[in-house]
Amino acid sequence: MRFTPFLFISPFFVLFIITGLFPILYTAWVSLHDWDLIRGQGDFVGLANFEFVLGTDSFYKALRNTFSIFILSSVPQVIAAILIAYVLDANLRAKTFWRMGVLVPFVVAPVAVSLIFAKIFADSSGIVNGALTAINLPAVGWHSDALASHVAIATMVNFRWTGYNALIFLAAMQAVPREIYEAAIIDGTGRMKRFWHVTVPMLRPTIVFVVITSTIGGLQIFDEPRMFDTGGQGGASRQWMTMTMYLYELGWGPQVAFGRASAVAWLLFLIILAFGILNFFITRRIANAGGPAKSSR
């Protein structure tokens, strides 16, 4: 009977080994070979695929674009999600309606979101450029300028995921003991000070979770940049091509090279792993810095 708890949790580990661990290890094996779509496994080439990938400009351009879009999306997203959750936690009328409303963008298909925002940020007929020219401001080359394209793609990501993260923060806020807020109110603490000195410190563990998951998801972004234009190649000069798009190009492009695509996949895995660990230790240190600060008048 002492093995019963292990039997209850074993399905997760069995599924993880089949659908998670095995593909990772198999991809590592493929990355060490000259792998063809038709012939399958070819000659063992060692680290030659990694050397090829690391020697191309496309890899570093994709890496730069990925981090740029990730920062432009994740940072505002977490801040906006906390603020939205704080508003939803207040005594609003029709609470359920508003809480369900913020989740609507998340259930919309990412392809549909990308197509809609691609029209909003169109260079010649987009809504944003139309509004800018209406107030005598120059139009922005959303598909020609690298930074502008990153902002447009980050806006799509924020639109889809901010409400989802807001509900996570809302659940964490509702788990905060009401006695802490009551004590702060009795002590004469204002609403803003209660937010900064009570709510935010109590959300530290949840912030750790959201930051880590946002990092993992942000570095794997594919749908939004892929659908940002009709070509799906990341722009004329690949100004918004991400790591996953580069991986897709190597794996299913004109010259199929599964070994090189697997090398990119493993490099991306190592980058995500490194940043995930770094985020974990940084945010955990912040989370352990102390509980909610004492309220002050």
Side-chain angles (χ1 to χ4, degrees):
M1 296 298 293
R2 61 180 179 176
F3 296 105
T4 302
F6 298 99
L7 292 176
F8 282 123
I9 64 175
S10 61
F12 165 78
F13 291 99
V14 172
L15 290 175
F16 172 73
I17 291 173
I18 296 175
T19 63
L21 184 60
F22 173 74
I24 292 175
L25 298 178
Y26 189 72
T27 302
W29 176 257
V30 174
S31 68
L32 301 177
H33 293 78
D34 183 12
W35 208 282
D36 185 75
L37 177 63
I38 305 299
R39 299 190 304 270
Q41 179 178 338
D43 297 333
F44 178 81
V45 296
L47 300 178
N49 289 325
F50 290 90
E51 293 176 359
F52 173 84
V53 169
L54 293 174
T56 60
D57 293 334
S58 297
F59 173 80
Y60 298 100
K61 184 178 292 185
L63 188 63
R64 180 206 67 184
N65 295 340
T66 301
F67 277 104
S68 176
I69 296 172
F70 159 66
I71 294 173
L72 290 172
S73 60
S74 295
V75 176
Q77 183 184 135
V78 173
I79 296 174
I82 294 175
L83 296 176
I84 292 173
Y86 187 67
V87 173
L88 293 176
D89 194 38
N91 291 324
L92 297 175
R93 292 185 177 180
K95 285 184 179 180
T96 304
F97 171 79
W98 296 112
R99 292 173 183 177
M100 292 177 61
V102 298
L103 197 60
V104 170
F106 175 72
V107 300
V108 178
V111 174
V113 173
S114 301
L115 290 174
I116 293 171
F117 274 85
K119 298 299 181 182
I120 293 175
F121 290 104
D123 294 334
S124 58
S125 59
I127 297 175
V128 176
N129 276 345
L132 291 175
T133 54
I135 57 177
N136 296 323
L137 290 177
V140 178
W142 298 108
H143 289 76
S144 58
D145 182 73
L147 181 59
S149 63
H150 296 176
V151 171
I153 294 171
T155 304
M156 302 182 204
V157 178
N158 291 335
F159 171 79
R160 186 162 180 259
W161 288 97
T162 300
Y164 174 83
N165 288 326
L167 291 185
I168 295 177
F169 285 123
L170 176 61
M173 288 180 185
Q174 292 182 332
V176 177
R178 298 294 104 177
E179 294 81 3
I180 298 178
Y181 289 113
E182 293 172 0
I185 294 173
I186 294 174
D187 197 35
T189 306
R191 189 178 184 86
M192 289 301 299
K193 285 189 175 181
R194 289 200 302 272
F195 175 75
W196 287 110
H197 296 284
V198 177
T199 303
V200 173
M202 295 296 290
L203 289 178
R204 283 171 178 168
T206 307
I207 294 175
V208 172
F209 170 78
V210 172
V211 168
I212 292 176
T213 54
S214 296
T215 301
I216 296 173
L219 295 179
Q220 297 182 84
I221 184 173
F222 178 79
D223 293 332
E224 289 82 359
R226 173 74 177 174
M227 299 298 298
F228 189 53
D229 67 346
T230 55
Q233 300 297 320
S237 58
R238 307 303 175 86
Q239 60 267 28
W240 70 80
M241 179 182 68
T242 61
M243 288 284 288
T244 51
M245 292 178 66
Y246 181 50
L247 187 158
Y248 182 85
E249 180 181 323
L250 289 175
W252 298 100
Q255 297 179 347
V256 178
F258 283 161
R260 294 173 180 176
S262 298
V264 175
W266 251 87
L267 289 171
L268 180 59
F269 169 72
L270 294 176
I271 292 171
I272 292 174
L273 183 64
F275 271 83
I277 294 173
L278 181 63
N279 272 340
F280 175 77
F281 282 109
I282 292 176
T283 50
R284 186 178 181 183
R285 185 171 183 178
I286 295 173
N288 293 334
K294 293 182 180 180
S295 56
S296 57
R297 296 183 184 273

